């Protein structure tokens, strides 16, 4: 389990893709805190470290992961948001993020509003029902608050600290982002379906 508070901005140093999936090598200052078999969120996708070096780690992404997320679009040199799993003794500063991406969204508009940057995200209509104004959403693993609901999607407001510490500061219109909606909304929906 994660919180959506990014621990480091890593860099893809090698990427091998074939029909079975992809193997990523990512450089990060977090490598010293990882061991083989540990989970780590990469742009909001929970992956397993398969090999760990002094300054980098390897992880594999299967076809299902590549199809459902934006990891298949990564290239050597791409910046990625990284987060280590939550320890039971730590504060839950963001919201509950599982690293199980529900789909991708596309940045449809970007504008500045005071010191904040507003991103409008177009999403699959099937995900719209899980979003509420002032509710939580994870974009590329970053815990954010839905600032507005728009036709065909939603908006988030990014403060300068988020722009500096995550890859969201360098994205442009048309970028694809991983979306994980709030697990509580999905669980409530499932329980209501079972009662009906």
């Amino acid at each position: 389990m994660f919180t959506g508070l990014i621990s480091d901005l890593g860099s893809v140093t090698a990427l091998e893709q074939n029909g079975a999936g992809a193997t990523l090598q990512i450089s990060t200052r977090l490598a010293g805190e990882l061991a083989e078999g540990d989970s780590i969120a990469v742009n909001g996708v929970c992956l397993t470290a398969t090999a760990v070096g002094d300054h980098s780690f390897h992880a594999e992404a299967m076809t299902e992961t590549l199809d459902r997320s934006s990891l298949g679009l990564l290239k050597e040199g791409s910046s990625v948001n990284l987060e280590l799993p939550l320890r039971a003794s730590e504060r839950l500063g963001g919201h509950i993020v599982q690293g199980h991406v529900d789909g991708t969204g596309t940045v449809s508009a970007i504008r500045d509003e005071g010191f904040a940057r507003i991103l409008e995200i177009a999403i699959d209509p099937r995900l719209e029902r899980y979003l509420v104004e002032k509710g939580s959403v994870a974009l590329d693993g970053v815990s954010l608050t839905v600032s507005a609901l728009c036709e065909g999607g939603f908006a988030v407001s990014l403060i300068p600290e988020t722009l500096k510490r995550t890859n969201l500061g360098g994205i442009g219109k048309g970028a694809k982002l991983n979306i994980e909606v709030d697990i509580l909304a999905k669980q409530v929906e499932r329980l209501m379906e079972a009662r009906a």
Side-chain angles (χ1 to χ4, degrees):
M1 185 176 83
F2 305 93
T3 68
L5 299 182
I6 302 307
S7 308
D8 191 26
L9 195 55
S11 178
V12 177
T13 51
L15 178 65
E16 294 177 24
Q17 284 192 344
N18 58 42
T23 301
L24 304 161
Q25 180 178 357
I26 298 172
S27 67
T28 174
R29 62 180 176 79
L30 300 175
E33 299 181 54
L34 284 171
E36 285 184 21
D38 283 353
S39 294
I40 185 165
V42 178
N43 278 357
V45 180
C46 181
L47 298 178
T48 301
T50 56
V52 179
D54 290 338
H55 304 289
S56 66
F57 69 93
H58 287 79
E60 296 175 337
M62 61 185 149
T63 305
E64 159 74 8
T65 303
L66 297 175
D67 289 346
R68 189 176 290 264
S69 73
S70 66
L71 293 187
L73 302 175
L74 293 176
K75 300 176 177 143
E76 286 187 29
S78 293
S79 293
V80 288
N81 295 323
L82 301 173
E83 182 185 358
L84 297 172
L86 177 69
R87 290 187 177 107
S89 61
E90 293 177 351
R91 292 182 177 143
L92 182 61
H95 74 283
I96 296 171
V97 177
Q98 295 183 295
H100 305 160
V101 171
D102 295 298
T104 58
T106 303
V107 178
S108 57
I110 300 175
R111 68 181 185 282
D112 290 329
E113 191 174 276
F115 62 74
R117 183 171 301 159
I118 311 300
L119 301 182
E120 289 185 18
I121 314 294
I123 60 171
D124 185 319
R126 293 175 293 184
L127 295 179
E128 287 184 62
R129 67 182 181 269
Y130 301 115
L131 298 167
V132 294
E133 195 169 312
K134 306 307 176 197
S136 296
V137 66
L139 285 182
D140 264 9
V142 182
S143 175
L144 296 168
T145 301
V146 175
S147 59
L149 298 175
C150 314
E151 188 174 336
F154 65 98
V156 292
S157 300
L158 307 178
I159 62 172
E161 188 71 9
T162 303
L163 296 170
K164 181 174 75 174
R165 290 185 178 269
T166 72
N167 66 1
L168 298 180
I171 63 169
K173 189 174 175 181
K176 280 204 178 297
L177 301 174
N178 293 321
I179 296 176
E180 182 181 330
V181 297
D182 194 339
I183 184 61
L184 297 177
K186 293 191 291 187
Q187 292 287 10
V188 168
E189 178 184 62
R190 183 73 173 148
L191 289 169
M192 295 302 287
E193 287 173 354
R195 288 188 69 179

